[in-house]
Amino acid sequence: MSESQVSPFVLKATLGGLVHDLGKPWSQVPGRPPDATRFDCETPKEHRGRLQECPSCKRYGSAHAPLGASLLQHAMGTRFSYLQELALAHHGTAEVVKRTGDVLRYVIFGDRLSAGERDERYDRDVAEPRPALLNPFAVDRQRVVTPAPLTDAGALLKQPGRNLGHLLGSLVEWQKEALRQAAEFAGGDERWLVDHLLGAVESSASLVPSAFRRDVADIALASHLQFAGAFAGALAAGGVSPDIDLKTFDGPIATLVLGDLSGIQAFLHRVASKRAARSLRARSFYLGTLSLVLSRVLAERLGVTSAHVLSSVGGNFLVLGPPGCEERVEAVATEIDAALAETHGAALSVSVACMSLRPGDTGDFSRALAELRRRLRDVKARRAERTAARLGLFEPRGDGGPLKACRSCGGDASDGIVEDDDRVCRFCWSLEELGRRLPEASYLILEDSDGEEGQGPEWQRVARRLGVTLKLEDHPPQPPVAGAVYALSADDVKRVKCARLLPSGRYVPVDKKEVLDFQDLAGRAKGRPLLAVLKADVDDLGRTFATHFQRNGRSVQSPSRVATFMRFLALFFEGRVNDLAEREFPNLYVVFAGGDDLAVVGPWDDVLTFAERIRTEFRQWTGENPNFHFSAGIAFGDATRPVIAALQEAEALLGVAKNRPGKDAVAVFQVALPWDQFVEMLRWYEELAALIGRAGEAEGVARSLLQRLKRLDALTEPRGGKVVYGPELWRAYYSLKRFAQRHEQAHGHIRKMYDHALDTYGGVKLAMAARLAEFATTSGKGGNAT
């Protein structure tokens, strides 16, 4: 990657798309300076009111165009001054467009393709919608997002009130500083300006709409700008004529490339229990960084920029390449696979699928994505045999003899590191070092290398092989930076406003700067020292997504609308979940959170509380839309149990929850409960634990109550939650009645349980609550709790 394969013309078109609508937030700020819209005014004495009333400025079509140019001039000065002209002229008359040149025409194409469709929900009944972004998940039009920098992690959870103009004014000041830093960090290099400008756009324009009039305001300006830049650059890179008419042109305008890093689950779970906490989170970070590197390498090899990496989440990445680049995609994928094989053998590999994109596809972008996912499934199904043959997986290796197993992954560590009579392979050792390093790191920097392996940690070996150097920094880097700067938390973006946010979940429970092992975490549980593993993901996301954007039987899914939706979904799992864990659940270990799923390990009682909390937060995040929900599986066990076994059991329990009709469920102790029933079960557990904890006092009860309640588990039909009537039920009730008679002081509590057992899921909830109360009121060795 050391020599850029992106032409200066493509860079200019991409950058023009990234900045063309930057003036929109400023256009909604009351009391802005009167000179702001007089950027290129030839009749300033007559320019006193609206732009359309000025004889010379009306040629620019809309006030946000000169406002954007003024913003760029204020922030960047004379550096990259052509961007000011592109922002100024993108809504201009035919004469203005012709004067500005072909780059502007590609920017205009990118603007139109990014929008892709019209959603007329509010055209008739709202003349001037509030200048705030509608929650992209909500159906209630009053659910709007507070205009703020991206650093406000709770923006979707609170309403902005009436003072929107003041909020937008503060945001514009942030925007000016972010753009100033972008130019400073880029120096004079357009290639690196792309990344720094992307960071400025993401941090300042992710929580404001791209339209304030007519079009519904549920498309984030940042998403619209990135797609406009990507389409403009792809058209320029593909040599598509700037004279085409998008209304009649039916040729390819870009190539959509979907990539998938295969083997993630096995790689993530391939950790022995001993010292697993040191490297498990580092493995997740490594996979996310690797996916980012691969997608950027692919984009540059295709002759486009990092702005053309439309997403990189959970091992999947989406790249918008120039039209007709399918053969190059295959060649780059082969190069990437070879680099992966040198370090990981067949454990990790990349699969890619391509499709040509035409103008008509941008009106229903999710349909194009669905077709691309289908093609990728076919590619992955065919490639296993070819991979095995290419790597010689079934050929004998070496001279045989005993191997010295790595304490972490179980692989060969003959030439590894010896520590405390243990042996660890060099790659896993580097991940353990990364695990120690992550909690203190604030920034990840990607720069070019010469493509040689060179020196450095083993976890960076694949990146170096592909021409990328990775650096972790504790403090803000000093400009200029000939590379991309990623902030690992929202707080770090505040210090470098042009850094791109890469929520890493870097926090792990530590003691004296050493990562706590899982046995230590289990010791922090209430009562019995047990761990719980939570795995969760969103239910029926593809189907819900498709129906969410249907209006009067017509799909309204432009590229930027789809991107806004997916970006906010990822922000919940990558950002909000990790932020919540770090701030309020210090004993939790977030193994993975990204895309639409997560895995968490921690003391059993903390995991249960966390599960309830994130479900509540997700409902708020999605604007209380009942169509968006997720399911979860929670497994319990001793800390010495292999991590892979615990994760696999939680995954199996997630499958139990997913088998429940309608889903929106959580599976515990092999039974799937609807979430509201799970929450009620937790209240029963708390009441039982309090009663048992007061044993010997006036209102305390003996632990034998728990054994009686646990028998109710078998008296409830598991799928529907109905009571199974018969002799066993009467015997269980008789036992409870006798117990209540012997504990008159707690008779009211027990009677309430007696009555509740006849409710839907009543018996199974009481049985689960009893098992949890047993955990909470028992000390000593754990054991298998399932």
Side-chain angles (χ1 to χ4, degrees):
M1 246 175 79
S2 56
E3 293 186 8
S4 176
Q5 301 177 35
V6 185
S7 75
F9 188 78
V10 171
L11 285 169
K12 286 181 170 59
T14 303
L15 290 166
L18 287 175
V19 303
H20 76 284
D21 274 347
L22 278 179
K24 282 189 171 180
W26 205 4
S27 72
Q28 300 300 303
V29 177
R32 64 177 181 267
D35 290 340
T37 58
R38 300 176 190 166
F39 182 81
D40 191 30
C41 183
E42 297 173 358
T43 54
K45 291 183 180 180
E46 301 177 55
H47 190 143
R48 297 174 181 173
R50 297 177 64 249
L51 183 97
Q52 296 295 333
E53 297 170 357
C54 176
S56 62
C57 290
K58 64 182 181 181
R59 58 187 165 171
Y60 297 119
S62 181
H64 75 261
L67 285 171
S70 295
L71 188 67
L72 289 165
Q73 184 184 59
H74 174 87
M76 295 185 171
T78 58
R79 287 178 288 190
F80 313 108
S81 58
Y82 67 88
L83 295 179
Q84 300 163 25
E85 187 175 10
L86 294 175
L88 176 69
H90 74 279
H91 282 308
T93 62
E95 180 184 352
V96 169
V97 172
K98 182 178 180 180
R99 180 195 71 195
T100 308
D102 288 347
V103 170
L104 178 61
R105 289 198 274 183
Y106 285 119
V107 171
I108 293 171
F109 288 160
D111 184 17
R112 294 173 181 171
L113 292 167
S114 175
E117 43 79 11
R118 282 289 309 283
D119 184 353
E120 300 175 349
R121 280 176 287 176
Y122 302 114
D123 279 9
R124 290 181 295 276
D125 58 347
V126 178
E128 293 190 9
R130 286 181 291 176
L133 179 68
L134 290 173
N135 184 313
F137 304 99
V139 292
D140 179 2
R141 55 187 277 184
Q142 300 303 315
R143 301 271 184 175
V144 295
V145 178
T146 301
L150 189 57
T151 53
D152 187 348
L156 264 69
L157 305 179
K158 58 187 179 184
Q159 296 296 290
R162 297 182 179 180
N163 199 11
L164 288 169
H166 174 73
L167 293 172
L168 284 167
S170 298
L171 182 61
V172 170
E173 293 305 311
W174 172 289
Q175 189 179 34
K176 291 177 181 177
E177 177 60 17
L179 291 171
R180 185 196 68 77
Q181 289 187 11
E184 184 180 22
F185 271 77
D189 194 311
E190 290 178 327
R191 182 185 174 206
W192 298 121
L193 180 62
V194 172
D195 267 299
H196 303 312
L197 193 56
L198 267 173
V201 166
E202 288 171 358
S203 74
S204 65
S206 289
L207 303 182
V208 291
S210 63
F212 299 101
R213 300 289 193 275
R214 295 181 60 80
D215 291 343
V216 62
D218 63 350
I219 298 174
L221 179 56
S223 297
H224 171 59
L225 292 176
Q226 181 174 0
F227 265 91
F231 275 119
L235 286 162
V240 178
S241 171
D243 296 321
I244 63 170
D245 182 351
L246 285 179
K247 294 180 180 179
T248 58
F249 183 71
D250 192 40
I253 53 173
T255 301
L256 204 55
V257 185
L258 182 63
D260 177 77
L261 190 59
S262 301
I264 283 180
Q265 291 299 320
F267 177 85
L268 193 60
H269 297 170
R270 192 185 175 192
V271 184
S273 289
K274 194 169 186 179
R275 296 186 175 89
R278 290 190 185 182
S279 63
L280 196 52
R281 190 67 191 93
R283 283 177 177 260
S284 178
F285 178 81
Y286 170 72
L287 290 170
T289 302
L290 186 60
S291 177
L292 187 64
V293 168
L294 302 188
S295 58
R296 292 172 64 94
V297 167
L298 176 62
E300 287 231 339
R301 298 286 202 274
L302 298 180
V304 289
T305 71
S306 57
H308 292 75
V309 179
L310 304 180
S311 69
S312 178
V313 177
N316 293 100
F317 52 85
L318 184 67
V319 175
L320 192 74
C325 67
E326 288 83 356
E327 288 187 8
R328 277 186 287 165
V329 169
E330 290 297 327
V332 178
T334 300
E335 178 190 358
I336 289 173
D337 248 356
L340 288 170
E342 286 182 5
T343 297
H344 299 292
L348 291 176
S349 61
V350 68
S351 300
V352 294
C354 307
M355 67 175 290
S356 290
L357 207 63
R358 300 174 185 274
D361 295 324
T362 61
D364 190 358
F365 194 63
S366 69
R367 184 172 60 184
L369 291 178
E371 168 62 18
L372 195 56
R373 285 192 289 267
R374 184 195 65 76
R375 294 187 184 188
L376 182 61
R377 286 194 296 270
D378 291 344
V379 169
K380 293 176 70 174
R382 295 193 304 265
R383 77 184 307 277
E385 183 177 343
R386 295 200 308 270
T387 300
R390 177 173 57 81
L391 298 176
L393 296 184
F394 306 111
E395 297 174 3
R397 296 175 181 272
D399 299 324
L403 298 178
K404 296 179 180 179
C406 171
R407 71 183 179 202
S408 182
C409 69
D412 182 18
S414 300
D415 63 344
I417 310 297
V418 177
E419 181 188 56
D420 300 332
D421 297 325
D422 285 328
R423 188 175 289 271
V424 58
C425 70
R426 293 186 179 277
F427 183 81
C428 288
W429 172 264
S430 76
L431 289 178
E432 289 187 11
E433 290 297 304
L434 176 61
R436 296 186 185 99
R437 179 83 176 80
L438 269 179
E440 305 297 326
S442 295
Y443 301 94
L444 174 69
I445 299 175
L446 278 65
E447 296 179 329
D448 285 345
S449 70
D450 57 11
E452 298 295 328
E453 287 193 21
Q455 298 297 315
E458 282 290 303
W459 68 272
Q460 298 182 12
R461 184 179 175 187
V462 175
R464 290 196 301 272
R465 176 67 175 79
L466 292 171
V468 180
T469 296
L470 304 175
K471 297 179 181 178
L472 280 174
E473 300 287 353
D474 300 346
H475 304 288
Q478 295 300 308
V481 174
V485 179
Y486 287 89
L488 302 186
S489 75
D491 286 341
D492 297 320
V493 176
K494 294 177 182 178
R495 298 189 287 172
V496 180
K497 293 180 174 60
C498 66
R500 303 187 66 184
L501 179 61
L502 181 68
S504 65
R506 61 187 175 185
Y507 173 78
V508 291
V510 297
D511 183 26
K512 298 178 181 179
K513 296 188 177 182
E514 280 295 322
V515 178
L516 289 173
D517 286 327
F518 289 137
Q519 285 183 306
D520 298 316
L521 287 180
R524 297 186 175 189
K526 180 187 297 183
R528 187 178 296 180
L530 294 174
L531 290 175
V533 178
L534 165 72
K535 293 204 77 171
D537 69 22
V538 176
D539 295 322
D540 300 321
L541 180 59
R543 184 170 60 201
T544 306
F545 174 79
T547 57
H548 181 62
F549 292 110
Q550 291 288 330
R551 306 288 181 254
N552 299 320
R554 180 174 63 89
S555 176
V556 285
Q557 299 186 40
S558 69
S560 51
R561 188 183 302 281
V562 171
T564 298
F565 179 95
M566 300 308 294
R567 174 64 167 160
F568 275 98
L569 184 65
L571 278 175
F572 178 80
F573 285 98
E574 296 177 4
R576 186 64 180 174
V577 167
N578 280 307
D579 180 70
L580 182 66
E582 180 173 353
R583 295 181 187 276
E584 300 185 30
F585 294 85
N587 292 327
L588 286 189
Y589 191 110
V590 180
V591 177
F592 175 80
D596 67 340
D597 62 347
L598 67 111
V600 176
V601 180
W604 67 268
D605 51 319
D606 282 349
V607 170
L608 292 174
T609 305
F610 182 72
E612 179 184 359
R613 177 66 181 280
I614 59 168
R615 194 259 180 164
T616 300
E617 296 250 342
F618 188 69
R619 292 182 64 187
Q620 295 173 343
W621 194 268
T622 53
E624 304 290 342
N625 186 336
N627 295 319
F628 291 106
H629 44 75
F630 66 84
S631 294
I634 302 176
F636 303 92
D638 187 83
T640 59
R641 186 186 188 195
V643 174
I644 186 171
L647 289 166
Q648 287 173 342
E649 182 180 350
E651 183 71 35
L653 285 168
L654 174 59
V656 172
K658 292 286 189 181
N659 283 330
R660 181 182 176 275
K663 304 179 178 64
D664 194 19
V666 54
V668 187
F669 300 126
Q670 303 301 320
V671 177
L673 289 176
W675 272 103
D676 57 343
Q677 300 285 345
F678 171 78
V679 172
E680 188 174 359
M681 182 273 291
L682 292 182
R683 303 291 85 82
W684 280 113
Y685 142 65
E686 291 165 357
E687 182 172 340
L688 278 171
L691 285 173
I692 301 301
R694 294 196 297 268
E697 301 178 13
E699 292 189 2
V701 299
R703 291 179 59 80
S704 57
L705 172 62
L706 302 180
Q707 299 303 318
R708 288 170 166 80
L709 291 173
K710 284 164 65 175
R711 294 175 193 147
L712 296 175
D713 193 4
L715 307 179
T716 305
E717 194 273 320
R719 287 184 65 82
K722 302 296 184 182
V723 175
V724 179
Y725 289 92
E728 289 297 326
L729 176 64
W730 314 131
R731 279 193 286 270
Y733 273 31
Y734 176 75
S735 175
L736 278 176
K737 184 177 181 180
R738 290 291 304 274
F739 187 92
Q741 291 172 347
R742 293 197 300 272
H743 295 78
E744 294 184 4
Q745 71 281 5
H747 184 275
H749 294 283
I750 299 172
R751 178 69 193 186
K752 187 169 60 172
M753 296 176 200
Y754 182 96
D755 293 339
H756 182 69
L758 291 176
D759 293 345
T760 300
Y761 288 107
V764 74
K765 281 188 292 184
L766 288 169
M768 287 180 178
R771 297 182 76 170
L772 296 177
E774 193 174 55
F775 293 169
T777 57
T778 303
S779 60
K781 190 175 181 180
N784 192 337
T786 58

